Amino acid sequence: MYPRPIPEDAKIKRALYVGGVTFVVILWLLPLLAVMLTSIRSNEELMAGNYWGWPQKFSLIENYTAVFEQTAMLRFFLNSLLITIPSVIGVLILSTLTGFVLSRYPFRGSNLVFALFVGGNFLPAQIMMIPVRDLMVRLGLYDTVYALIVFHIAFQTGFATLFMRNFIAALPGELFQAARAEGASPFQILRHVVVPLVKPALAALAILTFTFVWNDYFWAIVLTQSDAVKPVTAGLNNLRGEWTSAWNIVSAATIFVALPPVVMFFLMQKHFITGLTMGAVKG
């Protein structure tokens, strides 16, 4: 199942492997490099056809200032924060509660409930589009940030429950037995035993959920219509339509939109890696 390590004396194979990895990395980074270079070019260079050459004039400050002064990206950015932060908090709370119950307090039909949580992740978004939109219209939430918050919490909780259930189930059972012997209630066990031990898992899940919700485009255009509530992904598409020829402005806005998930990952990468590898090796 796992690739075998290349022997030290197999120099040709190692050279081919390093060359192949380098080629794939460069190929993967080329679009990002093109966007970054375009975001600091002047509009005159783009009109002259200088797309890949080194910029003759750096317009970094002008382009990024124009994103805030001449477009509505700041409002879209704030809308995304209003949608993403409550969604992440709601998903972490609900998935921790459901994962705790399903892993440590099984009941009749708990496997079916867990299967429903997991099975929801396999439904294509296109199938759910019309029912979800009609539901939000009936609830009076359509074209509001609450529609996206409610949907993302409901949709992301399925994967998050699978994630948290496996982590909590891997905790030593002796800890729970000792806590019950001391007279701790289920809520006290959750608060004082489970949550401190699964903080790395919560950090990893927070990063994943933040990235999923922040980068969502499909539901952003399905559940919102007015610019007052659109997140950055839908707003960026509007920007592309308004600034068709100003690709330097669009590229600068794209880099600005991509920064929050990247910054969050680097700030929490230690916890993220720990959370993903927790339980991989038995002590």
Side-chain angles (χ1 to χ4, degrees):
M1 293 296 294
Y2 297 97
R4 296 180 180 179
I6 301 176
E8 292 287 344
D9 55 349
K11 295 183 179 181
I12 297 179
K13 290 184 178 180
R14 295 181 68 87
L16 291 174
Y17 174 78
V18 173
V21 170
T22 304
F23 174 76
V24 171
V25 170
I26 293 175
L27 188 65
W28 184 77
L29 291 177
L30 274 178
L32 177 61
L33 178 62
V35 173
M36 293 178 65
L37 288 176
T38 304
S39 70
I40 61 176
R41 293 184 193 278
S42 64
N43 193 48
E44 291 77 11
E45 284 192 52
L46 291 175
M47 292 299 179
N50 183 16
Y51 302 116
W52 289 97
W54 190 255
Q56 299 176 1
K57 176 185 176 183
F58 292 95
S59 301
L60 187 147
I61 297 178
E62 294 85 349
N63 292 344
Y64 283 86
T65 301
V67 171
F68 298 101
E69 294 182 350
Q70 302 179 26
T71 72
M73 285 306 298
L74 183 58
R75 180 176 62 192
F76 298 142
F77 186 87
L78 294 177
N79 289 340
S80 282
L81 290 179
L82 291 174
I83 294 168
T84 305
I85 294 176
S87 298
V88 172
I89 295 175
V91 168
L92 292 181
I93 293 175
L94 290 178
S95 62
T96 302
L97 292 173
T98 53
F100 175 62
V101 172
L102 292 174
S103 62
R104 293 298 171 177
Y105 295 91
F107 54 90
R108 186 175 181 180
S110 59
N111 290 333
L112 177 60
V113 173
F114 180 62
L116 291 175
F117 272 101
V118 177
N121 293 283
F122 296 97
L123 291 175
Q126 293 81 358
I127 292 179
M128 299 186 292
M129 179 178 66
I130 295 178
V132 170
R133 183 185 180 278
D134 290 345
L135 177 62
M136 294 304 172
V137 171
R138 293 180 182 180
L139 293 176
L141 300 178
Y142 178 73
D143 200 26
T144 66
V145 295
Y146 301 107
L148 289 170
I149 292 173
V150 170
F151 173 79
H152 285 306
I153 290 178
F155 188 75
Q156 298 296 337
T157 298
F159 166 76
T161 296
L162 170 65
F163 193 86
M164 293 305 301
R165 176 188 177 275
N166 292 339
F167 275 100
I168 297 174
L171 297 177
E174 292 79 4
L175 293 175
F176 297 91
Q177 295 175 3
R180 296 191 191 98
E182 293 292 332
S185 65
F187 180 76
Q188 290 174 327
I189 294 175
L190 174 65
R191 179 181 177 184
H192 298 290
V193 177
V194 175
V195 173
L197 293 175
V198 298
K199 283 183 178 179
L202 291 173
L205 186 60
I207 295 175
L208 292 174
T209 306
F210 185 94
T211 304
F212 292 155
V213 176
W214 184 272
N215 292 335
D216 172 68
Y217 173 71
F218 181 82
W219 293 107
I221 62 175
V222 170
L223 299 179
T224 62
Q225 187 174 10
S226 60
D227 289 345
V229 298
K230 284 183 178 179
V232 289
T233 48
L236 189 62
N237 184 62
N238 287 0
L239 187 67
R240 183 176 61 85
E242 296 174 5
W243 298 75
T244 305
S245 60
W247 287 107
N248 51 341
I249 306 299
V250 176
S251 298
T254 302
I255 298 297
F256 172 68
V257 169
L259 282 178
V262 176
V263 171
M264 185 176 181
F265 172 78
F266 279 105
L267 290 177
M268 303 179 66
Q269 61 176 330
K270 180 179 178 181
H271 300 290
F272 178 75
I273 296 173
T274 303
L276 291 182
T277 58
M278 182 185 295
V281 180
K282 293 184 178 179

